[in-house]
Amino acid sequence: MGKVESATEAVRRSLRTGKIVAFTGAGISAESHVPTFRGADGLWRNSSPEKLCTAQAFTSNPRLVWEWYDWLRGLIHAAQPNPGHFALTEMQQRNPGRFTLVTQNMDGLHERAGSQDVVKLHGDIWLLRCTTCGREGRNEQVPMEHLPPLCRCGGTLRPAIVWFGEMLPQDQWERATDAARGADIFLAIGTSALVHPAAGLVRVAQQSGAQVVIINPDPTPADEFAKWILRGPAGEILPRLL
Ligand code: NAD
């Protein structure tokens, strides 16, 4: 058995008992053709999300920020969940009561693949929140009819996404940290592990005794916490772990 195969087999064995946490980043959606922020075809390279994904940018030019999100929503709308998303759905179904899925993604592809009760650290691109009255509602219109979209109260709607410099939703963060502390095996999938505080979950899990598995074609700063590193695309590796 080759080195990669034996690591895959060891992870498969470890997944048979104990509490499992799957922690995903933009990389799991790369094979669905949703661009990542930092991979080879990352969003950062073609546009400047670091300038757009802030409350300040939105206040100064909501239309410009919305034009970018409208483009991204169109792209995500056309995307389909890939075998990586489906493998996690199956992992959840096979391990009732001992599997938690925590995602940094806002694309909703885990839910579209059938995953339940997903912990969403960075919000949801299909949920809009009024910057005046705070009301939230789902909106799946692609493309948006009017930019920026307006609330019934007349306020400007924004995507209910956690932008740079904003707090994570506290209930989701507590669920994620509780899950990481209680994990026996922690799969960090398709994340550059650079965006904090979310990236800190890998360390929390490792320090609480979990076996950390990194699934990523490229090295990440979280590799130092890993018991196993499975190099490659999530859509190929995750189905092999079932
Ligand atoms: P990131 O863009 O910083 O890193 C992506 C990682 O995925 C890289 O380490 C890359 O090597 C890896 N990767 C690329 N292709 C892969 C594949 N096929 N299989 C496995 N891994 C692969 O993403 P991040 O760590 O999630 O952090 C950035 C922030 O980006 C998050 O807050 C997230 O909300 C946001 N984001 C989300 C989406 C989405 O919802 N799909 C897309 C872009 C950015």
Side-chain angles (χ1 to χ4, degrees), residues 48-239:
S48 300
E50 79 273 29
K51 291 192 189 127
L52 294 170
C53 302
T54 66
Q56 292 89 323
F58 190 73
T59 308
S60 63
N61 194 342
R63 193 185 157 88
L64 178 74
V65 173
W66 259 114
E67 277 171 4
W68 187 73
Y69 275 105
D70 200 34
W71 166 77
L72 189 56
R73 281 162 55 106
L75 218 140
I76 292 170
H77 187 257
Q80 296 300 325
N82 67 59
H85 296 107
F86 287 117
L88 290 180
T89 302
E90 195 164 336
M91 208 178 274
Q92 180 173 48
Q93 287 165 354
R94 288 188 191 187
N95 299 292
R98 64 181 188 93
F99 177 92
T100 307
L101 176 54
V102 179
T103 191
Q104 299 169 84
N105 294 349
M106 55 189 167
D107 58 28
L109 288 177
H110 284 304
E111 288 92 338
R112 277 171 59 193
S115 287
Q116 306 279 325
D117 210 17
V118 182
V119 181
K120 297 169 83 146
L121 293 179
H122 292 162
D124 186 333
I125 201 165
W126 304 110
L127 199 63
L128 307 189
R129 185 168 66 242
C130 178
T131 52
T132 302
C133 71
R135 188 183 290 131
E136 282 192 354
R138 277 193 85 72
N139 175 310
E140 297 183 5
Q141 194 178 51
V142 173
M144 303 287 298
E145 220 167 70
H146 184 268
L147 294 181
L150 299 178
C151 178
R152 271 180 269 160
C153 79
T156 307
L157 293 165
R158 59 166 277 180
I161 282 173
V162 178
W163 281 333
F164 291 108
E166 294 184 327
M167 299 277 289
L168 271 55
Q170 205 182 331
D171 58 331
Q172 302 297 295
W173 180 242
E174 276 170 15
R175 280 186 65 200
T177 47
D178 285 353
R181 285 197 195 103
D184 294 296
I185 182 157
F186 186 96
L187 310 173
I189 306 156
T191 176
S192 63
L194 290 171
V195 178
H196 285 271
L201 288 173
V202 186
R203 188 192 196 122
V204 168
Q206 192 257 356
Q207 288 182 342
S208 308
Q211 298 175 339
V212 170
V213 183
I214 305 279
I215 299 172
N216 199 309
D218 295 319
T220 79
D223 291 3
E224 62 171 299
F225 304 114
K227 172 150 186 168
W228 293 291
I229 297 177
L230 304 180
R231 285 261 174 264
E236 288 176 23
I237 291 177
L238 284 169

Side-chain angles (χ1 to χ4, degrees), residues 1 4-14 16 230 240-241:
M1 208 183 264
V4 174
E5 281 167 294
S6 57
T8 304
E9 196 41 51
V11 175
R12 269 165 62 90
R13 229 177 301 117
S14 286
R16 286 189 203 136
L230 304 180
R240 287 191 213 136
L241 298 180

